[in-house]
Each structure stands twice: as C-alpha cells, then as structure tokens.
C-alpha cells in the first residue's frame, strides 16, 4: 500500500515523516497523475482556503471527489478536515464535500488559537492532541462515528474509509492515529 500526502501547502512534510517512521511507502501528491498512484490520501493541516485554491489550480478537486465517492480512503487533519467536510459554516472555502460533517473554522477563538490537551480516542486510548487554530466539527451526519471528543465537541470522526481530525498527530511522535487510519482501510 502506498499512502499519498497532499503536498501543495501546510505541514505535509510532518505527515510524510510520520509515515516514514512507520515504515510505510509514501508519496507527495501534487497532481492528478500522482493521485492515481496512491491507495489513500492524507490532507494535511495548513490554510484551507489556500489549499482549496491550489487543489483547484492543479486539477485535483474533481479527480479526488470522483475517487473518494468510489471509496478511496482520505484522512483530513485540521485544514484537511475542513476540506473534506460537506459544509463549512461561513461557506468558505468551498470544500470537497466528501464527509457528512459541518465544520466551523477557527472556532476556538483568538486567545485559544492553539492548545494541547489529552484526548481519549476510541480503541486507541489516551492521545496527546495538538490543536492549532483548529476548526470545530459542529454537525456529524448519521453515517459517521465519533471517535474522540474534547469538551463535548467531536475532534476525530470516521465515515466509511474517511477520517477527519481537528488535531495534529503528525506533530507528535505517536503514530497510533495514522496506524488507525491504515488499519481502517485494510
Ligand atoms: N485555521 C486553518 C484554516 O481555517 C486551519 C489550521 C490548521 O490546519 N492547523 O484553514
């Protein structure tokens, strides 16, 4: 299995390093051609409007939407979670509409732009959550499963082969969330 990481903007290098530490075959994905060569895609944290623009410019949006609708696995972290959501609360950016969740960008307010806290993730257990200008997942559709919450808000949600998380496991040296994603997609 080859795992792709969208390498247009954001902390894609940290995801590639996490996969490297796990000994997983990986590729930096920037084009529709590169997307065809991987078995799953991680969309990193970064700036979601920029990421969305770049994905459109590189012609990745329609190709990824088509693949994901056929069951291609996607894991979005932070900005990536915003991009795979069906709805973004102020309408920007227009996401890929892959997962039946609604997100609100930068929803933790300015003074709490960034924080770290211990989470309790289903089947994983205690995990150090790093939140950086994180969005909140404000609605989860009926086909989704909430794997972790923080103060009552979902922070890790699964739907089929898709995973959305508002924190950054790639910034820790703990690969259990990445491993969970790989197990999930077999
Ligand atoms: N605040 C960013 C956005 O709305 C996401 C932050 C992140 O990915 N760490 O795009």
């Amino acid at each position: 299995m080859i795992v792709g990481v969208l390498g247009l903007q954001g902390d894609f290098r940290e995801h590639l390093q996490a996969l490297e530490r796990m000994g997983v075959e990986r590729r930096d994905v920037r084009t529709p051609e590169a997307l065809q060569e991987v078995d799953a895609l991680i969309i990193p944290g970064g700036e979601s409007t920029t990421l969305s623009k770049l994905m459109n410019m590189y012609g990745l949006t329609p190709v990824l939407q088509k693949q994901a609708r056929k069951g291609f696995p996607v894991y979005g972290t932070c900005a990536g979670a915003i991009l795979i959501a069906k709805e973004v609360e102020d309408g920007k950016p227009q996401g890929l509409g892959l997962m039946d969740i609604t997100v609100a960008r930068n929803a933790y307010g300015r003074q709490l732009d960034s924080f770290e806290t211990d989470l309790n993730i289903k089947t994983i257990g205690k995990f150090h959550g790093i939140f950086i200008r994180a969005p909140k997942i404000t609605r989860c559709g009926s086909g989704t499963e909430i794997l972790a919450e923080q103060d009552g808000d979902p922070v890790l949600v699964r739907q089929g082969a898709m995973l959305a998380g508002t924190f950054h496991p790639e910034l820790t040296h703990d690969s259990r969330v990445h491993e969970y994603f790989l197990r999930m997609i077999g």
Side-chain angles (χ1 to χ4, degrees):
M1 170 159 52
I2 307 175
V3 179
V5 180
L6 184 71
L8 296 175
Q9 195 263 339
D11 75 336
F12 57 93
R13 289 177 198 86
E14 285 77 2
H15 276 287
L16 288 165
Q17 282 159 8
L19 294 169
E20 185 178 3
R21 279 195 300 274
M22 293 160 65
V24 175
E25 217 183 316
R26 63 217 168 265
R27 295 257 201 298
D28 180 341
V29 171
R30 300 179 185 205
T31 61
E33 294 72 34
L35 187 60
Q36 305 305 318
E37 286 164 20
V38 297
D39 303 297
L41 185 72
I42 295 175
I43 305 182
E47 212 288 315
S48 55
T49 50
T50 308
L51 270 165
S52 164
K53 276 187 204 139
L54 290 171
M55 286 188 82
N56 289 335
M57 257 172 62
Y58 282 73
L60 276 161
T61 303
V63 185
L64 181 57
Q65 282 172 325
K66 199 169 155 202
Q67 265 178 236
R69 284 183 190 133
K70 286 192 262 177
F72 178 79
V74 184
Y75 170 25
T77 52
C78 206
I82 297 170
L83 286 174
I84 66 176
K86 202 165 183 174
E87 277 177 306
V88 182
E89 278 197 11
D90 67 2
K92 264 192 197 159
Q94 218 201 332
L96 298 160
L98 305 180
M99 229 174 123
D100 192 14
I101 55 174
T102 302
V103 295
R105 292 178 65 200
N106 304 326
Y108 289 93
R110 276 199 175 273
Q111 73 281 24
L112 284 176
D113 272 354
S114 305
F115 63 96
E116 301 187 19
T117 187
D118 279 334
L119 303 170
N120 185 16
I121 305 178
K122 246 188 217 176
T123 79
I124 292 178
K126 195 171 152 191
F127 194 93
H128 190 65
I130 301 178
F131 293 81
I132 303 170
R133 293 208 81 197
K136 269 189 191 177
I137 299 172
T138 55
R139 183 194 62 87
C140 294
S142 56
T144 61
E145 183 188 3
I146 296 170
L147 299 172
E149 288 181 339
Q150 205 272 319
D151 265 350
D153 294 309
V155 294
L156 187 66
V157 179
R158 173 184 180 172
Q159 181 179 18
M162 275 178 295
L163 192 62
T166 57
F167 58 100
H168 291 269
E170 73 283 6
L171 299 182
T172 67
H173 274 224
D174 189 339
S175 48
R176 288 176 298 157
V177 177
H178 289 82
E179 278 160 13
Y180 179 90
F181 177 57
L182 298 190
R183 269 203 311 282
M184 202 176 104
I185 62 184

